[in-house]
Amino acid sequence: MEDKDTHRDGAIGVFDSGYGGLTVLSEIKSLMPEYDFIYLGDNARTPYGNRSYERVYEFTLEAVKWFFKHGCKLVVLACNTASAKALRSIQQIDLPKIDINNRVLGVIRPTAENVSKISQSGHIGIMGTEGTIQSKSYDIEINKLHPHMFVTGEACPMWVPLVENREYNKPGADYFVKKHIDSILSKDPLIDTIILGCTHYPLLIEKITDFLPKGVRAISQGKLVAESLKNYLERHPEMDILCTKNGTITYFTTDSPSKFIEQASIFLDEEIVAQKADL
Ligand code: DGL
């Protein structure tokens, strides 16, 4: 289907490099079912996880402008890599030039705000893409809010392909899950909380939990992001009033809509319709 009739004044934009952001959208949707959403997956250019800052920033900024063009005032970067590598520049450099009233939020800050409530030991592990871990965005955000917490990162480059190839709940996934759990816990044995800092990893949570020693738990961030968005809109009625509330979700992809629909079934329990984005 072509990108027609796509202007959705007042929908909240949810962006990801591909399908994974659907895990975040699901949590947002279940907490805020009355709002309208536009989801955009940049499937033509995914994965972002091993791309340079310049590329991730360029692609994410294009997506943000696309959302604004389609009537969104508020955009959530559900993608950890985009949040890690592009959000700050977009907020500080681009938004003031594009429209100072529009907002772009990410997934790292809401997670960082919550870690002190979750961890007893104060030692946190972050699993993410190479880009997210190299950026040290979690370390920076967590230590800004909680200077005494210890943050250790672990890049898990095989975990996204395991999910996208539907191997996440098969025995073949065990090796790669165990390898990275063992690695992060050997770097800091006092870790008691592992944050799944990538859109795809919630699908691996059962397997991850199987390999965690007693006293260590894995946390998906979708709920934290959803609660933080709800809270943001409560604190910003001037933005909330601009958000329409008809309970719709419109899905866009930069690649093939039929492939998007097929792969989205990994992440969603419902059937969806997707359109090609004019990006
Ligand atoms: N959505 C990305 C993230 O959360 C994972 C997939 C990718 O590498 O593009 O970091």
Side-chain angles (χ1 to χ4, degrees):
M1 205 187 292
E2 281 306 305
D3 183 4
K4 55 184 183 229
D5 183 25
T6 55
H7 205 85
R8 299 274 184 280
D9 263 339
I12 298 173
V14 178
F15 175 66
D16 185 44
S17 56
Y19 312 107
L22 296 170
T23 59
V24 177
L25 177 63
S26 295
E27 296 291 354
I28 295 176
K29 182 68 191 165
S30 71
L31 193 67
M32 305 163 56
E34 69 277 27
Y35 286 79
D36 295 310
F37 299 96
I38 295 182
Y39 182 90
L40 173 65
D42 190 7
N43 300 87
R45 302 186 289 196
T46 200
Y48 280 14
N50 45 12
R51 288 193 187 273
S52 65
Y53 270 92
E54 290 75 16
R55 285 287 83 77
V56 173
Y57 171 50
E58 180 194 332
F59 294 166
T60 306
L61 180 58
E62 271 180 38
V64 165
K65 287 180 176 167
W66 179 91
F67 279 112
F68 292 164
K69 194 175 99 190
H70 288 77
C72 299
K73 307 278 180 224
L74 175 62
V75 175
V76 178
L77 303 183
C79 178
N80 274 270
T81 310
S83 298
K85 291 191 156 185
L87 179 62
R88 186 172 297 268
S89 301
I90 290 174
Q91 285 175 333
Q92 293 178 354
I93 301 166
D94 301 294
L95 268 186
K97 289 189 231 153
I98 305 171
D99 188 334
I100 48 161
N101 298 313
N102 288 0
R103 289 287 174 270
V104 182
L105 307 174
V107 289
I108 295 177
R109 178 82 186 193
T111 310
E113 279 168 0
N114 281 286
V115 288
S116 67
K117 291 177 218 152
I118 301 166
S119 169
Q120 303 286 315
S121 71
H123 292 244
I124 301 285
I126 308 289
M127 319 297 277
T129 64
E130 231 170 78
T132 299
I133 299 306
Q134 271 169 8
S135 74
K136 297 222 170 273
S137 298
Y138 274 98
D139 314 45
I140 294 164
E141 284 300 329
I142 292 174
N143 285 141
K144 238 191 257 166
L145 301 168
H146 316 290
H148 303 299
M149 292 192 93
F150 295 87
V151 184
T152 303
E154 174 78 8
C156 312
M158 288 300 291
W159 287 14
V160 167
L162 283 174
V163 172
E164 295 211 348
N165 291 293
R166 298 176 192 258
E167 291 290 333
Y168 58 93
N169 51 5
K170 308 265 168 61
D174 291 8
Y175 170 80
F176 288 106
V177 170
K178 182 173 180 333
K179 174 181 159 159
H180 291 297
I181 295 293
D182 289 351
S183 169
I184 196 165
L185 293 177
S186 75
K187 288 187 244 177
D188 180 359
L190 295 179
I191 288 171
D192 67 353
T193 305
I194 288 189
I195 302 292
L196 305 185
C198 174
T199 49
H200 289 59
Y201 298 176
L203 278 93
L204 283 161
I205 196 160
E206 279 179 27
K207 237 182 223 309
I208 293 168
T209 305
D210 284 349
F211 287 106
L212 289 177
K214 254 207 165 104
V216 183
R217 62 178 178 149
I219 305 281
S220 295
Q221 62 187 167
K223 273 201 178 67
L224 304 179
V225 173
E227 279 158 14
S228 163
L229 178 62
K230 190 163 188 263
N231 180 270
Y232 173 85
L233 288 169
E234 281 162 9
R235 287 183 291 111
H236 294 276
E238 76 289 356
M239 176 58 80
D240 189 58
I241 205 161
L242 299 175
C243 296
T244 53
K245 297 168 186 83
N246 303 301
T248 65
I249 309 184
T250 317
Y251 296 91
F252 288 92
T253 172
T254 54
D255 205 346
S256 145
S258 56
K259 178 88 195 296
F260 185 88
I261 292 165
E262 184 195 314
Q263 286 291 93
S265 66
I266 300 175
F267 302 91
L268 296 174
D269 288 334
E270 57 188 301
E271 280 192 20
I272 60 162
V273 174
Q275 306 176 48
K276 177 98 162 61
D278 56 344
L279 186 70

